Amino acid sequence: MNFRQVHLDFHTSGEIENIGSEFTRANFQKALKEGHVNSITLFAKCHHGWAYFPSETNVMHPHLAFDLLGEQIEAAHEIGVKTPVYLSAGLDERLARIHPDWLYRNPDQSTEWAHDFSVPGYHRICMNTPYLEILASEVEEVVRKYDCDGIFLDIVGAFPCRCLHCVQTMLDKGLDPYDDTNAYKNGVEVYKKYLARMRQAVDKYKPGLPLFHNAGHLQSGRRDFAGANTHLELESLPTGGWGYDHFQLSAAYARTLGMEYLGMTGKFHLSWGEFGGFKHPNALRYEVAIDMANGAKMSIGDQCHPLGKLESATYKLIGEAYADVEKKEPWLDGVESVADVALLSQEALFTYMHPGEIPPNKNSYFGATGASRMLIEGKYLFDVVDTEADLSKYKVLIITDDGVIDRQYAQKVHEFIDNGGKVLASGTSALLNDGSGFAFDLGARYLGKCEYCPAYIRPNFEMEGLYDSAYVIYNQAQSIEATGEVTAIRENPYFNRTTHHFSSHAQTPNDPAHRYPAITFGADGAYISFPLFTEYALKGSLIAKRVVEATLDRLLSDDKTLTTNLPSYGITTLMKQGNRYINHLIYVTPVKRGKGVEIVEDIIPVYNTEISIKLDTEPTRVYLAPQDRDIDYDYTDGVLTYTVDKIDCHQMVVIE
């Protein structure tokens, strides 16, 4: 995989004329050079269903007069740029209008993406129809005819469809097709059949050619889905609905799978399909810096104008980010993360505990989101893991807020504990699904849900910027009996707020006369009776973060690999590359503009950032990359310390 990719959308209505009429090799090559691009995903087929080459299996765009795909591939290859080829798989509006019986259907028979044909937009096609073989023939044709460097298939996944074909499939098996679980299980089988058929189509002419299936989100816990790809492309446009949290959470999981992967963002101000929308160059600098820090290669989305000419403004913008990446590539490839903490994915745990059930929307895993934010802001080195992951490299396993587990997974965690690991649990996590209480000795016995909400937490330890008080927590607390050390207490309100019982403007104040354990420590780890990770994701409460940091620091027992004074919005990771480490340091502060859009415009450098790293061996050299400038360091009692004089968006420190 190349580091500097562009994903060149070309979804073009059949009503637009002169398609590709302004394409020239000179313009195409000039733009790619200007953008420092070394791979570009090109279109064989768009969401409208048109082919962009003379096709035997599909219909070429009615206003395209030449082989645009072939010309683009040859132009790119002439200057050493790779060309994976895109085919829209789940959307084909031309066929959708000819074969509406092939469309994905909701239980009420409405369609997706557009609700019906009165709404402008695309309509998803079900793979459990004759369309699957048509798509396979289209893929085969592209692979046979062109020197493509891979195939990218878009808008796919496991979906609970109720089209006539899926309904009949379930009826033939004696299943109720309107049961959600049955429909989702059928969707999984349909998706697996699609995955196998597409691999077969590619391998017919070019065995082993790179192949990626884009579902818009990497579903953690489904290694079978991930493994159907030769690599991963993590679609995550921060301004397009994903936000800046999504990629870092996805990447922290992807890097545990042993696969190459890239982060996909866009040059757009908002999201895909936005003609005339541009980010500030500093936004792309920040986004590719996050890719680099997480061990990812990168892809930036563009959309080509129907006339086929690449816009210089776009490639100057992309070039500002990719010129920096190009200099840094020697320190980016073949890396693995160094991590103290394993964050158990809520999504993966749901898949494990509820096999065959429809997973919640990816944006509903608030515990994981809050935990990821806390760990990044607290400068903890962490990975996100599923239930299959090897835990031996980690010191602490975090199970967030609602992570009820079974005895089989509990046994795996006990092996981790027996080897010196600790567990941090919260809310209803680490409870056994048979109702017998906590799976581990966390210093508490579970009693049930607290009858008051919200309630208050009063820590008995010091926290930066906070003092001795009762702090409100808005999300539902649990009640426990302490069997170990208590480090914080819960105080309930005098009463829950109701029509006839309320006090002041919001929640009822705390009653200090009655106190209950809120945080406990036992032989296997610690338990927080409030869902503080969710609290932080939804409320951003400083108390939630400070309590988790204090509890986690104690579990790490002063064995935190990396510490730094980089401000909270900074990002730091530590990657191992052969016999050296690369410490990535990033500092940028997105701001909210418009209606909740996260924007990066100004990058303010930070100075004199101090870093300490625990290392078993004294380094032979510490230097800044790509500047190749040595910096002073100290190595005493197994701790390496150094100061970075300036971080301007992204700085790497190499430890040989």
Side-chain angles (χ1 to χ4, degrees):
M1 282 177 67
N2 286 14
F3 273 94
R4 292 167 277 117
Q5 183 161 295
V6 159
H7 186 96
L8 188 64
D9 263 13
F10 199 55
H11 302 294
T12 309
S13 167
E15 303 301 313
I16 299 176
E17 298 183 350
N18 301 315
I19 301 303
S21 61
E22 293 187 7
F23 170 83
T24 66
R25 289 198 180 193
N27 163 260
F28 193 74
Q29 292 173 343
K30 179 176 181 291
L32 298 184
K33 291 176 181 178
E34 204 163 35
H36 294 259
V37 175
N38 59 11
S39 179
I40 183 166
T41 303
L42 301 170
F43 266 43
K45 174 191 173 186
C46 71
H47 289 344
H48 292 276
W50 304 118
Y52 293 93
F53 64 97
S55 177
E56 302 154 15
T57 60
N58 195 7
V59 177
M60 191 162 82
H61 192 289
H63 300 295
L64 176 64
F66 67 103
D67 184 352
L68 177 59
L69 174 64
E71 286 289 322
Q72 289 175 324
I73 289 174
E74 289 184 14
H77 283 177
E78 276 183 4
I79 58 172
V81 175
K82 288 188 175 181
T83 56
V85 172
Y86 174 105
L87 293 94
S88 182
L91 302 176
D92 184 322
E93 196 61 17
R94 185 183 69 83
L95 285 177
R97 292 173 182 272
I98 298 171
H99 296 286
D101 58 309
W102 293 357
L103 297 183
Y104 171 97
R105 299 282 175 170
N106 293 307
D108 65 358
Q109 293 302 292
S110 61
T111 56
E112 287 192 349
W113 295 358
H115 185 265
D116 56 40
F117 283 100
S118 70
V119 179
Y122 307 115
H123 301 80
R124 189 194 299 276
I125 297 184
C126 178
M127 297 294 177
N128 192 27
T129 66
Y131 173 69
L132 178 64
E133 286 305 312
I134 292 175
L135 178 62
S137 69
E138 292 171 345
V139 171
E140 289 176 7
E141 181 182 19
V142 170
V143 174
R144 173 172 54 86
K145 284 185 173 180
Y146 294 102
D147 183 19
C148 54
D149 295 301
I151 294 293
F152 184 111
L153 298 172
D154 201 12
I155 319 298
V156 294
F159 308 110
C161 178
R162 271 77 165 207
C163 73
L164 294 177
H165 299 268
C166 286
V167 167
Q168 191 60 53
T169 296
M170 287 181 274
L171 289 174
D172 289 346
K173 295 178 180 178
L175 300 173
D176 175 4
Y178 293 97
D179 176 85
D180 288 343
T181 299
N182 290 342
Y184 181 67
K185 286 181 177 178
N186 181 68
V188 170
E189 292 307 309
V190 169
Y191 185 48
K192 287 182 175 180
K193 181 181 176 183
Y194 151 83
L195 293 172
R197 185 67 184 92
M198 292 305 109
R199 186 70 259 177
Q200 181 186 47
V202 169
D203 288 348
K204 183 175 181 179
Y205 296 103
K206 292 183 181 174
L209 187 73
L211 171 62
F212 177 68
H213 307 271
N214 186 40
H217 171 68
L218 172 63
Q219 186 178 342
S220 57
R222 292 306 306 242
R223 294 193 177 204
D224 52 342
F225 292 172
N229 303 287
T230 54
H231 64 283
L232 300 172
E233 303 196 22
L234 308 184
E235 184 179 2
S236 189
L237 283 66
T239 55
W242 285 261
Y244 277 104
D245 286 322
H246 177 263
F247 174 74
Q248 295 185 78
L249 196 57
S250 292
Y253 174 65
R255 63 179 175 239
T256 69
L257 299 179
M259 301 175 70
E260 282 192 287
Y261 71 101
L262 58 79
M264 179 190 287
T265 185
K267 69 94 178 180
F268 315 104
H269 169 59
L270 295 176
S271 194
W272 296 109
E274 182 188 43
F275 288 106
F278 295 84
K279 282 189 169 96
H280 192 284
N282 283 340
L284 284 184
R285 284 182 61 204
Y286 177 48
E287 288 159 26
V288 300
I290 294 173
D291 290 337
M292 289 188 279
N294 282 281
K297 295 173 173 67
M298 51 227 63
S299 176
I300 296 175
D302 178 27
Q303 174 140 259
C304 187
H305 190 278
L307 296 180
K309 183 178 180 180
L310 295 186
E311 188 169 17
S312 179
T314 293
Y315 289 84
K316 286 178 179 176
L317 169 63
I318 291 171
E320 291 206 32
Y322 276 175
D324 189 46
V325 175
E326 190 171 11
K327 297 173 192 171
K328 295 175 177 177
E329 286 179 13
W331 297 274
L332 302 177
D333 214 1
V335 298
E336 59 179 305
S337 66
V338 177
D340 294 330
V341 177
L343 170 59
L344 180 60
S345 163
Q346 282 182 292
E347 183 178 40
L349 184 58
F350 179 91
T351 299
Y352 169 78
M353 292 295 295
H354 305 278
E357 292 188 25
I358 304 172
N361 182 283
K362 67 178 186 292
N363 294 321
S364 63
Y365 297 109
F366 299 118
T369 297
S372 177
R373 287 178 188 168
M374 288 181 182
L375 293 168
I376 291 167
E377 293 168 16
K379 309 301 175 284
Y380 297 91
L381 303 179
F382 75 101
D383 289 332
V384 174
V385 299
D386 58 25
T387 55
E388 297 178 55
D390 178 6
L391 300 176
S392 60
K393 81 180 237 188
Y394 307 106
K395 300 167 186 173
V396 174
L397 172 68
I398 296 177
I399 311 177
T400 61
D401 295 353
D402 61 355
V404 174
I405 60 176
D406 64 9
R407 289 191 178 275
Q408 182 176 342
Y409 186 65
Q411 179 56 42
K412 180 173 183 173
V413 178
H414 273 294
E415 293 170 7
F416 163 71
I417 294 168
D418 291 343
N419 288 315
K422 296 291 184 182
V423 172
L424 173 56
S426 58
T428 57
S429 70
L431 291 171
L432 288 164
N433 64 339
D434 60 10
S436 58
F438 289 114
F440 318 110
D441 178 2
L442 304 177
R445 186 172 71 84
Y446 183 67
L447 300 178
K449 185 171 74 172
C450 174
E451 62 180 304
Y452 297 95
C453 186
Y456 297 80
I457 189 169
R458 186 185 291 272
N460 65 8
F461 45 81
E462 293 185 2
M463 298 170 291
E464 181 188 353
L466 299 172
Y467 308 98
D468 181 23
S469 184
Y471 293 89
V472 65
I473 304 296
Y474 291 98
N475 285 275
Q476 179 67 57
Q478 306 299 313
S479 292
I480 54 172
E481 176 186 311
T483 60
E485 181 185 357
V486 177
T487 61
I489 60 170
R490 187 188 83 239
E491 295 178 6
N492 294 328
Y494 288 99
F495 43 76
N496 283 321
R497 187 177 177 88
T498 67
T499 304
H500 300 291
H501 293 82
F502 68 91
S503 178
S504 190
H505 303 306
Q507 74 276 0
T508 310
N510 58 302
D511 177 3
H514 300 92
R515 298 183 168 191
Y516 310 89
I519 301 178
T520 58
F521 279 78
D524 298 340
Y527 171 72
I528 303 170
S529 65
F530 290 88
L532 293 187
F533 300 104
T534 297
E535 185 82 7
Y536 196 62
L538 298 179
K539 304 293 185 184
S541 305
L542 182 60
I543 182 65
K545 180 166 70 169
R546 289 288 184 260
V547 164
V548 168
E549 287 175 342
T551 307
L552 182 54
D553 285 346
R554 178 167 168 181
L555 290 175
L556 287 169
S557 303
D558 297 321
D559 197 22
K560 192 176 177 184
T561 296
L562 183 149
T563 57
T564 177
N565 65 348
L566 187 65
S568 66
Y569 220 95
I571 297 168
T572 187
T573 63
L574 186 64
M575 295 288 167
K576 193 170 190 302
Q577 186 190 48
N579 65 344
R580 65 186 179 191
Y581 293 92
I582 294 90
N583 176 207
H584 293 265
L585 298 158
I586 300 172
Y587 191 76
V588 175
T589 52
V591 297
K592 293 287 180 71
R593 299 257 173 92
K595 215 172 177 183
V597 181
E598 286 186 284
I599 297 296
V600 171
E601 182 174 345
D602 301 317
I603 291 180
I604 309 299
V606 292
Y607 297 90
N608 299 321
T609 301
E610 300 168 5
I611 300 99
S612 296
I613 298 176
K614 293 195 173 185
L615 290 178
D616 293 334
T617 306
E618 182 172 359
T620 57
R621 185 187 179 203
V622 179
Y623 64 98
L624 302 180
Q627 299 96 318
D628 195 28
R629 177 164 63 86
D630 287 65
I631 60 174
D632 293 333
Y633 67 90
D634 177 75
Y635 183 79
T636 304
D637 296 330
V639 179
L640 171 70
T641 58
Y642 51 85
T643 298
V644 176
D645 57 354
K646 179 181 178 181
I647 301 170
D648 182 9
C649 183
H650 175 232
Q651 180 61 60
M652 296 186 297
V653 181
V654 183
I655 305 157
E656 296 283 4

